[in-house]
Amino acid sequence: MNWLRLTEIKVRLYRRLVLRFLSQLGALFVLTSICFYISILAWSRVSGSIFNQASVSPIGIGLYQIDLMLRGALFDFMEHTHRSLSPITIDQNATAFVYYTLMFRMFVAIYVMSSLLRLLRFVLRPWSTLLL
């Protein structure tokens, strides 16, 4: 009887830890996305040659960032099916900007994979005590 009660307490504690972990992870991702958006917006104002279009609106840049995030999170699905949310494209001759956006896309991919693995570990950890 005591063992069952102890296991129930552990499961509740792990649920709280998972919720705290997810909220902290979400806050990190939102903060990084805001910083990236501001940096792209500033870069487009300083150097107008990073995009193929003559004038790019802040909403267009936001769509471009969401497009990058989906390409990072969904890996090659969007590339393979030639899907895009953004009407703007980057100039491939702006090498520094191309690598900068690639780094953000890789960050999103690693972030998604790491988050899923950590969440899976947190979710399965309480059940391992029940199985033993």
Side-chain angles (χ1 to χ4, degrees):
M1 186 78 168
N2 269 344
W3 181 79
L4 219 61
R5 178 84 176 136
L6 184 62
T7 305
E8 182 181 315
I9 291 172
K10 282 183 180 181
V11 168
R12 274 194 255 148
L13 285 173
Y14 278 117
R15 284 183 188 154
R16 287 183 187 162
L17 284 174
V18 167
L19 290 176
R20 183 188 300 164
F21 172 73
L22 289 176
S23 66
Q24 290 173 352
L25 219 55
L28 172 69
F29 189 74
V30 167
L31 182 63
T32 305
S33 296
I34 290 170
C35 290
F36 184 74
Y37 174 77
I38 291 170
S39 70
I40 288 180
L41 190 61
W43 202 328
S44 71
R45 298 300 180 244
V46 171
S47 173
S49 64
I50 59 172
F51 295 111
N52 287 330
Q53 290 72 15
S55 65
V56 179
S57 69
I59 293 173
I61 292 174
L63 287 174
Y64 177 72
Q65 180 180 356
I66 291 171
D67 189 55
L68 277 179
M69 290 166 45
L70 286 174
R71 289 176 188 272
L74 299 175
F75 309 107
D76 285 331
F77 174 77
M78 291 184 69
E79 291 286 337
H80 185 70
T81 58
H82 301 286
R83 302 285 180 231
S84 179
L85 292 179
S86 174
I88 61 176
T89 57
I90 60 174
D91 181 13
Q92 294 298 319
N93 294 326
T95 308
F97 187 71
V98 169
Y99 286 125
Y100 181 64
T101 56
L102 177 65
M103 293 286 288
F104 180 72
R105 187 174 163 185
M106 289 172 44
F107 164 77
V108 171
I110 292 169
Y111 180 86
V112 167
M113 287 187 300
S114 172
S115 299
L116 289 175
L117 289 174
R118 288 181 183 192
L119 182 62
L120 187 63
R121 188 183 77 193
F122 270 129
V123 168
L124 293 179
R125 182 179 265 167
W127 296 109
S128 67
T129 59
L130 291 175
L131 297 175
L132 293 177

